[in-house]
Amino acid sequence: MDKIRNAFVILEVVIGVLLIAGILIQTPKATGLGGTIGGGDGGLGGGYRTRRGLERQIYYSSWVLAFAFFIVSVANIWFSSHTG
């Protein structure tokens, strides 16, 4: 049973590192305080733009990794509480 628990922990760490990397490499919609206030791209909306190509893939992959991390974490907690 310890092998399964160790596998959950390793999987949780791997997914966590991938999730952190995926979030860090995303391009922010508005950079800095100027973009937040509305000076990001000169238009209204504070620098809003659509995601395209690789940027969109990284964005959706981050959501999938976040969901996978949640599921593995819950499974790890459930498994640890039921195996004593």
Coordinates of all heavy atoms in Angstrom, one line a residue:
M1 N 0.8 -1.2 0.0 CA 0.0 0.0 0.0 C 0.9 1.3 0.0 O 0.4 2.3 -0.5 CB -0.9 0.0 1.2 CG -2.0 -1.0 1.2 SD -3.1 -0.8 -0.2 CE -4.1 -2.2 -0.1
D2 N 2.1 1.2 0.5 CA 2.9 2.3 0.5 C 3.4 2.7 -0.9 O 3.6 3.9 -1.1 CB 4.2 2.1 1.4 CG 3.9 2.2 2.9 OD1 2.9 2.8 3.2 OD2 4.6 1.5 3.7
K3 N 3.4 1.7 -1.8 CA 3.8 2.0 -3.2 C 2.7 2.9 -3.8 O 3.1 3.8 -4.6 CB 4.0 0.7 -4.0 CG 5.2 0.0 -3.6 CD 5.3 -1.3 -4.4 CE 6.5 -2.1 -4.0 NZ 6.7 -3.3 -4.8
I4 N 1.5 2.7 -3.6 CA 0.4 3.5 -4.1 C 0.4 4.9 -3.6 O 0.3 5.9 -4.3 CB -1.0 2.8 -3.9 CG1 -1.0 1.5 -4.6 CG2 -2.1 3.7 -4.3 CD1 -2.3 0.6 -4.3
R5 N 0.6 5.0 -2.2 CA 0.7 6.3 -1.6 C 1.9 7.1 -2.2 O 1.8 8.3 -2.5 CB 0.8 6.1 -0.1 CG 0.7 7.4 0.6 CD 0.7 7.2 2.1 NE -0.2 6.2 2.5 CZ -0.2 5.6 3.7 NH1 0.6 6.0 4.6 NH2 -1.1 4.6 4.0
N6 N 3.0 6.4 -2.3 CA 4.2 7.1 -2.9 C 4.0 7.5 -4.4 O 4.4 8.6 -4.8 CB 5.5 6.2 -2.9 CG 6.0 6.0 -1.4 OD1 5.7 6.8 -0.5 ND2 6.7 5.0 -1.2
A7 N 3.2 6.7 -5.1 CA 2.9 7.0 -6.5 C 2.0 8.3 -6.6 O 2.2 9.2 -7.4 CB 2.2 5.9 -7.2
F8 N 1.1 8.4 -5.6 CA 0.2 9.6 -5.6 C 1.0 10.8 -5.2 O 0.8 11.9 -5.8 CB -0.9 9.4 -4.5 CG -2.1 8.7 -5.0 CD1 -2.7 7.7 -4.3 CD2 -2.7 9.0 -6.2 CE1 -3.8 7.0 -4.7 CE2 -3.8 8.3 -6.7 CZ -4.4 7.3 -6.0
V9 N 1.9 10.7 -4.3 CA 2.8 11.8 -3.9 C 3.7 12.3 -5.1 O 3.8 13.5 -5.4 CB 3.6 11.5 -2.7 CG1 4.6 12.6 -2.4 CG2 2.7 11.3 -1.5
I10 N 4.3 11.3 -5.7 CA 5.2 11.7 -6.9 C 4.3 12.3 -8.0 O 4.7 13.3 -8.6 CB 5.9 10.4 -7.4 CG1 6.9 10.0 -6.3 CG2 6.6 10.6 -8.7 CD1 7.6 8.7 -6.5
L11 N 3.2 11.7 -8.3 CA 2.3 12.3 -9.3 C 1.8 13.7 -9.0 O 1.8 14.6 -9.8 CB 1.1 11.3 -9.5 CG 0.2 11.6 -10.7 CD1 0.9 11.6 -12.0 CD2 -1.0 10.6 -10.7
E12 N 1.6 13.9 -7.7 CA 1.1 15.2 -7.3 C 2.3 16.2 -7.4 O 2.0 17.4 -7.9 CB 0.7 15.1 -5.8 CG -0.2 16.2 -5.3 CD -0.8 15.9 -4.0 OE1 -0.5 14.8 -3.4 OE2 -1.5 16.8 -3.5
V13 N 3.5 15.8 -7.1 CA 4.6 16.8 -7.3 C 4.9 17.1 -8.8 O 5.1 18.2 -9.2 CB 5.9 16.2 -6.6 CG1 7.1 16.9 -7.0 CG2 5.7 16.1 -5.1
V14 N 4.8 16.0 -9.6 CA 5.1 16.2 -11.0 C 4.0 17.2 -11.6 O 4.3 18.1 -12.4 CB 5.1 14.9 -11.8 CG1 5.1 15.1 -13.3 CG2 6.4 14.1 -11.4
I15 N 2.7 16.9 -11.3 CA 1.7 17.7 -11.9 C 1.8 19.2 -11.3 O 1.6 20.1 -12.1 CB 0.3 17.1 -11.5 CG1 0.1 15.8 -12.3 CG2 -0.8 18.1 -11.9 CD1 -1.2 15.1 -11.9
G16 N 2.2 19.3 -10.1 CA 2.3 20.6 -9.5 C 3.4 21.4 -10.2 O 3.3 22.6 -10.4
V17 N 4.6 20.8 -10.4 CA 5.7 21.5 -11.1 C 5.3 21.9 -12.5 O 5.5 23.0 -13.0 CB 6.9 20.6 -11.1 CG1 8.0 21.1 -12.1 CG2 7.5 20.4 -9.7
L18 N 4.6 21.0 -13.3 CA 4.1 21.3 -14.6 C 3.1 22.4 -14.6 O 3.1 23.3 -15.5 CB 3.5 20.1 -15.3 CG 4.4 18.9 -15.7 CD1 3.7 17.7 -16.1 CD2 5.4 19.4 -16.7
L19 N 2.2 22.4 -13.6 CA 1.2 23.5 -13.4 C 1.9 24.8 -13.2 O 1.5 25.8 -13.8 CB 0.2 23.2 -12.3 CG -0.9 24.1 -12.0 CD1 -1.7 24.3 -13.3 CD2 -1.7 23.7 -10.9
I20 N 2.9 24.9 -12.3 CA 3.6 26.1 -12.0 C 4.3 26.6 -13.3 O 4.2 27.8 -13.6 CB 4.6 25.9 -10.9 CG1 3.9 25.7 -9.5 CG2 5.6 27.0 -10.8 CD1 4.7 25.2 -8.4
A21 N 5.0 25.7 -14.0 CA 5.7 26.1 -15.2 C 4.7 26.6 -16.3 O 4.9 27.6 -16.9 CB 6.4 24.9 -15.8
G22 N 3.5 25.9 -16.4 CA 2.5 26.4 -17.4 C 2.0 27.8 -17.1 O 1.7 28.6 -18.0
I23 N 1.8 28.0 -15.8 CA 1.3 29.4 -15.4 C 2.4 30.4 -15.6 O 2.1 31.5 -16.1 CB 0.8 29.3 -14.0 CG1 -0.5 28.5 -13.9 CG2 0.5 30.7 -13.4 CD1 -1.0 28.2 -12.5
L24 N 3.6 30.1 -15.3 CA 4.7 31.1 -15.4 C 5.0 31.5 -16.8 O 5.4 32.6 -17.1 CB 5.9 30.6 -14.6 CG 5.8 30.7 -13.1 CD1 7.1 30.1 -12.5 CD2 5.6 32.0 -12.6
I25 N 4.8 30.6 -17.7 CA 5.2 30.9 -19.1 C 4.1 31.6 -19.9 O 4.3 32.0 -21.0 CB 5.7 29.6 -19.9 CG1 4.6 28.6 -20.1 CG2 6.9 29.1 -19.3 CD1 5.0 27.4 -20.9
Q26 N 2.9 31.7 -19.3 CA 1.8 32.4 -20.0 C 2.1 33.9 -20.1 O 2.7 34.5 -19.1 CB 0.5 32.2 -19.2 CG 0.0 30.8 -19.3 CD -1.4 30.6 -18.6 OE1 -2.1 31.6 -18.5 NE2 -1.7 29.4 -18.2
T27 N 1.7 34.4 -21.2 CA 1.9 35.9 -21.4 C 0.7 36.6 -20.6 O -0.4 36.3 -20.9 CB 1.8 36.2 -22.9 OG1 2.7 35.4 -23.5 CG2 2.1 37.7 -23.1
P28 N 1.1 37.6 -19.8 CA 0.0 38.3 -19.1 C -0.8 39.2 -20.1 O -0.2 39.7 -21.0 CB 0.7 39.2 -18.1 CG 2.1 39.3 -18.6 CD 2.4 38.0 -19.4
K29 N -2.1 39.3 -19.8 CA -2.9 40.1 -20.7 C -2.5 41.6 -20.6 O -2.6 42.3 -21.6 CB -4.4 40.0 -20.4 CG -4.9 38.6 -20.8 CD -6.4 38.6 -20.5 CE -7.0 37.3 -21.0 NZ -8.4 37.2 -20.9
A30 N -2.2 42.1 -19.4 CA -1.8 43.5 -19.2 C -0.6 43.5 -18.3 O -0.6 42.9 -17.2 CB -2.9 44.3 -18.6
T31 N 0.5 44.0 -18.8 CA 1.7 44.0 -18.0 C 1.8 45.2 -17.1 O 1.7 46.4 -17.6 CB 2.9 43.9 -18.9 OG1 2.7 42.8 -19.8 CG2 4.2 43.7 -18.2
G32 N 2.1 45.0 -15.8 CA 2.4 46.1 -14.9 C 1.1 46.9 -14.5 O 0.0 46.6 -15.0
L33 N 1.3 47.9 -13.8 CA 0.2 48.7 -13.3 C -0.4 49.5 -14.4 O -1.6 49.7 -14.4 CB 0.7 49.7 -12.2 CG -0.3 50.5 -11.5 CD1 -1.4 49.7 -10.8 CD2 0.3 51.4 -10.4
G34 N 0.4 50.0 -15.4 CA -0.2 50.7 -16.5 C -1.2 49.9 -17.3 O -2.2 50.4 -17.7
G35 N -0.9 48.6 -17.5 CA -1.8 47.8 -18.2 C -3.1 47.5 -17.4 O -4.2 47.4 -17.9
T36 N -3.0 47.5 -16.1 CA -4.1 47.3 -15.2 C -5.1 48.5 -15.3 O -6.3 48.3 -15.3 CB -3.7 47.0 -13.8 OG1 -2.8 45.9 -13.8 CG2 -4.9 46.7 -12.9
I37 N -4.5 49.7 -15.3 CA -5.3 50.9 -15.3 C -6.0 51.1 -16.7 O -7.0 51.6 -16.8 CB -4.5 52.1 -14.9 CG1 -4.1 51.9 -13.4 CG2 -5.2 53.4 -15.1 CD1 -3.1 53.0 -12.9
G38 N -5.3 50.7 -17.7 CA -5.9 50.8 -19.0 C -4.9 51.3 -20.1 O -5.3 51.5 -21.2
G39 N -3.6 51.4 -19.7 CA -2.7 51.8 -20.7 C -1.9 50.7 -21.4 O -0.9 50.9 -22.0
G40 N -2.5 49.4 -21.3 CA -1.7 48.3 -21.8 C -1.5 48.3 -23.3 O -0.4 48.2 -23.8
D41 N -2.6 48.5 -24.1 CA -2.4 48.5 -25.5 C -3.0 49.7 -26.2 O -3.1 49.8 -27.4 CB -3.1 47.2 -26.1 CG -4.6 47.2 -25.9 OD1 -5.1 48.0 -25.2 OD2 -5.2 46.3 -26.5
G42 N -3.3 50.7 -25.4 CA -3.8 51.9 -25.9 C -5.3 51.9 -26.1 O -5.9 53.0 -26.4
G43 N -5.9 50.8 -26.1 CA -7.4 50.7 -26.3 C -8.2 50.6 -25.0 O -7.6 50.5 -23.9
L44 N -9.4 50.6 -25.1 CA -10.3 50.4 -23.9 C -10.2 48.9 -23.5 O -10.1 48.0 -24.3 CB -11.7 50.8 -24.2 CG -11.9 52.3 -24.6 CD1 -13.3 52.5 -25.0 CD2 -11.5 53.2 -23.4
G45 N -10.5 48.7 -22.3 CA -10.5 47.3 -21.8 C -9.3 46.8 -21.1 O -9.1 45.7 -20.8
G46 N -8.3 47.7 -20.9 CA -7.1 47.3 -20.1 C -6.2 46.3 -20.8 O -5.6 45.5 -20.1
G47 N -6.1 46.3 -22.0 CA -5.1 45.4 -22.7 C -5.7 44.0 -23.0 O -4.9 43.0 -23.1
Y48 N -7.0 43.9 -23.1 CA -7.6 42.6 -23.4 C -7.3 42.2 -24.8 O -7.3 43.0 -25.8 CB -9.1 42.6 -23.2 CG -9.7 41.3 -23.6 CD1 -9.7 40.3 -22.7 CD2 -10.4 41.2 -24.8 CE1 -10.3 39.1 -23.0 CE2 -10.9 39.9 -25.2 CZ -10.9 38.9 -24.3 OH -11.4 37.7 -24.6
R49 N -6.9 40.9 -25.0 CA -6.7 40.4 -26.3 C -7.0 38.9 -26.3 O -7.0 38.3 -25.2 CB -5.3 40.6 -26.8 CG -4.2 40.0 -25.9 CD -2.8 40.4 -26.4 NE -1.8 39.9 -25.6 CZ -1.3 38.6 -25.7 NH1 -1.8 37.8 -26.6 NH2 -0.4 38.2 -24.9
T50 N -7.3 38.3 -27.4 CA -7.6 36.9 -27.4 C -6.4 36.0 -27.5 O -5.3 36.5 -27.9 CB -8.5 36.6 -28.7 OG1 -7.7 36.9 -29.8 CG2 -9.8 37.3 -28.6
R51 N -6.5 34.8 -27.0 CA -5.4 33.9 -27.0 C -5.4 33.1 -28.3 O -6.5 32.8 -28.8 CB -5.5 32.9 -25.8 CG -5.3 33.5 -24.5 CD -5.5 32.5 -23.4 NE -5.3 33.0 -22.1 CZ -6.2 33.6 -21.4 NH1 -7.4 33.7 -21.8 NH2 -5.9 34.1 -20.2
R52 N -4.2 32.9 -28.9 CA -4.2 32.2 -30.2 C -3.0 31.2 -30.1 O -2.0 31.4 -29.5 CB -3.9 33.2 -31.3 CG -5.0 34.2 -31.4 CD -4.7 35.2 -32.5 NE -5.7 36.2 -32.4 CZ -6.3 36.7 -33.5 NH1 -5.9 36.4 -34.7 NH2 -7.2 37.7 -33.4
G53 N -3.2 30.1 -30.9 CA -2.2 29.1 -31.1 C -1.7 28.5 -29.8 O -2.4 28.0 -29.0
L54 N -0.3 28.6 -29.7 CA 0.4 27.9 -28.5 C -0.1 28.5 -27.2 O -0.2 27.8 -26.2 CB 1.9 28.1 -28.7 CG 2.8 27.4 -27.6 CD1 2.5 25.9 -27.6 CD2 4.2 27.7 -27.9
E55 N -0.3 29.8 -27.2 CA -0.8 30.5 -26.0 C -2.1 29.9 -25.5 O -2.3 29.7 -24.3 CB -0.9 32.0 -26.2 CG -1.2 32.8 -25.0 CD -1.3 34.3 -25.3 OE1 -1.2 34.7 -26.5 OE2 -1.4 35.0 -24.3
R56 N -3.0 29.7 -26.4 CA -4.3 29.1 -26.0 C -4.1 27.6 -25.5 O -4.7 27.2 -24.5 CB -5.2 29.1 -27.2 CG -6.6 28.5 -26.9 CD -7.5 28.3 -28.0 NE -7.5 29.5 -28.9 CZ -8.1 29.4 -30.1 NH1 -8.7 28.4 -30.5 NH2 -8.1 30.5 -30.9
Q57 N -3.2 26.9 -26.2 CA -3.0 25.5 -25.8 C -2.4 25.5 -24.3 O -2.8 24.6 -23.5 CB -2.0 24.8 -26.7 CG -1.8 23.4 -26.5 CD -3.0 22.6 -26.6 OE1 -3.8 22.8 -27.5 NE2 -3.2 21.6 -25.8
I58 N -1.5 26.4 -24.0 CA -0.9 26.4 -22.7 C -1.9 26.8 -21.7 O -2.0 26.3 -20.6 CB 0.3 27.4 -22.7 CG1 1.5 26.9 -23.5 CG2 0.8 27.7 -21.3 CD1 2.6 27.9 -23.8
Y59 N -2.8 27.7 -22.0 CA -3.9 28.2 -21.1 C -4.8 27.0 -20.8 O -5.1 26.7 -19.6 CB -4.7 29.3 -21.8 CG -5.9 29.8 -21.0 CD1 -5.7 30.5 -19.8 CD2 -7.1 29.4 -21.4 CE1 -6.8 31.0 -19.1 CE2 -8.2 29.8 -20.7 CZ -8.1 30.6 -19.5 OH -9.2 31.0 -18.8
Y60 N -5.3 26.3 -21.8 CA -6.2 25.2 -21.5 C -5.5 24.0 -20.8 O -6.0 23.3 -20.0 CB -6.9 24.7 -22.8 CG -7.9 25.7 -23.3 CD1 -7.9 26.3 -24.6 CD2 -8.9 26.2 -22.4 CE1 -8.8 27.2 -25.0 CE2 -9.9 27.1 -22.9 CZ -9.8 27.6 -24.1 OH -10.7 28.5 -24.5
S61 N -4.2 23.8 -21.2 CA -3.4 22.8 -20.5 C -3.3 23.1 -19.0 O -3.3 22.2 -18.2 CB -2.1 22.6 -21.2 OG -2.2 22.2 -22.5
S62 N -3.1 24.3 -18.7 CA -3.0 24.7 -17.3 C -4.3 24.4 -16.5 O -4.2 23.9 -15.4 CB -2.7 26.2 -17.2 OG -1.5 26.5 -17.7
W63 N -5.4 24.6 -17.2 CA -6.7 24.2 -16.5 C -6.8 22.7 -16.3 O -7.3 22.2 -15.3 CB -7.9 24.8 -17.3 CG -8.2 26.2 -17.0 CD1 -7.9 27.3 -17.8 CD2 -8.8 26.7 -15.8 NE1 -8.3 28.4 -17.2 CE2 -8.9 28.1 -16.0 CE3 -9.2 26.1 -14.7 CZ2 -9.4 28.9 -15.0 CZ3 -9.8 26.9 -13.7 CH2 -9.8 28.3 -13.8
V64 N -6.4 22.0 -17.3 CA -6.4 20.5 -17.2 C -5.5 20.0 -16.1 O -5.9 19.2 -15.3 CB -6.1 19.9 -18.6 CG1 -5.9 18.4 -18.4 CG2 -7.1 20.1 -19.6
L65 N -4.3 20.6 -16.1 CA -3.4 20.3 -15.0 C -3.9 20.6 -13.6 O -3.7 19.9 -12.6 CB -2.0 20.9 -15.2 CG -1.2 20.3 -16.3 CD1 0.0 21.2 -16.6 CD2 -0.7 18.9 -16.0
A66 N -4.6 21.8 -13.5 CA -5.2 22.2 -12.2 C -6.2 21.2 -11.8 O -6.3 20.8 -10.6 CB -5.7 23.6 -12.3
F67 N -7.1 20.7 -12.7 CA -8.1 19.8 -12.4 C -7.5 18.4 -12.1 O -7.9 17.8 -11.1 CB -9.0 19.6 -13.7 CG -10.1 18.6 -13.4 CD1 -11.2 18.9 -12.6 CD2 -10.1 17.4 -14.0 CE1 -12.2 18.1 -12.4 CE2 -11.2 16.5 -13.8 CZ -12.2 16.8 -13.0
A68 N -6.4 18.0 -12.8 CA -5.7 16.7 -12.5 C -5.1 16.8 -11.1 O -5.1 15.9 -10.3 CB -4.7 16.4 -13.5
F69 N -4.5 18.0 -10.8 CA -3.9 18.1 -9.5 C -4.9 18.0 -8.4 O -4.7 17.4 -7.3 CB -3.2 19.5 -9.4 CG -2.4 19.7 -8.1 CD1 -1.2 19.2 -7.9 CD2 -3.0 20.5 -7.1 CE1 -0.5 19.4 -6.8 CE2 -2.3 20.7 -5.9 CZ -1.0 20.1 -5.7
F70 N -6.1 18.6 -8.6 CA -7.2 18.5 -7.6 C -7.6 17.1 -7.4 O -7.8 16.6 -6.3 CB -8.3 19.4 -8.0 CG -9.5 19.3 -7.1 CD1 -9.6 19.9 -5.9 CD2 -10.7 18.6 -7.5 CE1 -10.7 19.8 -5.1 CE2 -11.8 18.5 -6.7 CZ -11.8 19.1 -5.5
I71 N -7.8 16.4 -8.5 CA -8.3 15.0 -8.4 C -7.2 14.1 -7.7 O -7.6 13.3 -6.9 CB -8.6 14.4 -9.8 CG1 -9.7 15.2 -10.4 CG2 -8.8 12.9 -9.8 CD1 -11.0 15.0 -9.7
V72 N -6.0 14.2 -8.1 CA -4.9 13.4 -7.4 C -4.8 13.8 -6.0 O -4.6 12.9 -5.1 CB -3.6 13.6 -8.2 CG1 -2.4 13.0 -7.4 CG2 -3.6 13.0 -9.6
S73 N -4.9 15.0 -5.6 CA -4.9 15.4 -4.2 C -6.0 14.8 -3.4 O -5.8 14.3 -2.3 CB -4.9 17.0 -4.1 OG -3.8 17.5 -4.7
V74 N -7.2 14.9 -3.9 CA -8.4 14.3 -3.2 C -8.2 12.8 -3.1 O -8.5 12.2 -2.1 CB -9.7 14.7 -4.0 CG1 -10.8 13.9 -3.4 CG2 -9.9 16.2 -3.8
A75 N -7.7 12.1 -4.2 CA -7.5 10.7 -4.2 C -6.4 10.3 -3.2 O -6.5 9.3 -2.4 CB -7.1 10.2 -5.6
N76 N -5.4 11.1 -3.1 CA -4.3 10.9 -2.1 C -4.9 11.0 -0.7 O -4.6 10.2 0.2 CB -3.2 11.9 -2.3 CG -1.9 11.6 -1.6 OD1 -1.8 10.5 -0.9 ND2 -1.0 12.5 -1.6
I77 N -5.7 12.0 -0.4 CA -6.2 12.2 0.9 C -7.2 11.1 1.2 O -7.1 10.5 2.3 CB -7.0 13.6 1.0 CG1 -6.0 14.7 1.0 CG2 -7.8 13.6 2.3 CD1 -6.6 16.1 0.8
W78 N -8.0 10.7 0.3 CA -9.0 9.6 0.5 C -8.3 8.3 0.7 O -8.6 7.6 1.7 CB -9.9 9.5 -0.7 CG -10.9 8.4 -0.5 CD1 -12.1 8.6 0.1 CD2 -10.9 7.1 -0.9 NE1 -12.8 7.4 0.1 CE2 -12.0 6.4 -0.5 CE3 -9.9 6.3 -1.6 CZ2 -12.3 5.1 -0.7 CZ3 -10.1 5.0 -1.8 CH2 -11.3 4.4 -1.4
F79 N -7.3 8.0 -0.1 CA -6.5 6.8 0.1 C -5.8 6.7 1.4 O -5.7 5.7 2.1 CB -5.5 6.6 -1.1 CG -4.8 5.3 -1.1 CD1 -5.4 4.1 -1.5 CD2 -3.5 5.2 -0.6 CE1 -4.8 2.9 -1.4 CE2 -2.8 4.0 -0.6 CZ -3.5 2.9 -1.0
S80 N -5.2 7.8 1.8 CA -4.4 7.9 3.1 C -5.3 7.7 4.3 O -5.0 7.1 5.2 CB -3.7 9.2 3.2 OG -2.7 9.3 2.2
S81 N -6.6 8.2 4.2 CA -7.5 8.1 5.3 C -8.1 6.7 5.4 O -8.5 6.3 6.5 CB -8.6 9.2 5.3 OG -9.4 8.9 4.2
H82 N -8.2 6.0 4.3 CA -8.8 4.7 4.3 C -7.9 3.5 4.5 O -8.3 2.4 4.6 CB -9.7 4.5 3.0 CG -10.9 5.3 3.1 ND1 -11.0 6.6 2.9 CD2 -12.2 4.9 3.4 CE1 -12.3 7.0 3.0 NE2 -13.0 6.0 3.3
T83 N -6.6 3.8 4.4 CA -5.6 2.7 4.6 C -4.9 2.7 5.9 O -4.2 1.8 6.2 CB -4.5 2.7 3.5 OG1 -3.9 4.0 3.5 CG2 -5.1 2.5 2.1
G84 N -5.2 3.7 6.7 CA -4.6 3.8 8.0 C -3.2 4.1 8.1 O -2.3 4.2 8.6

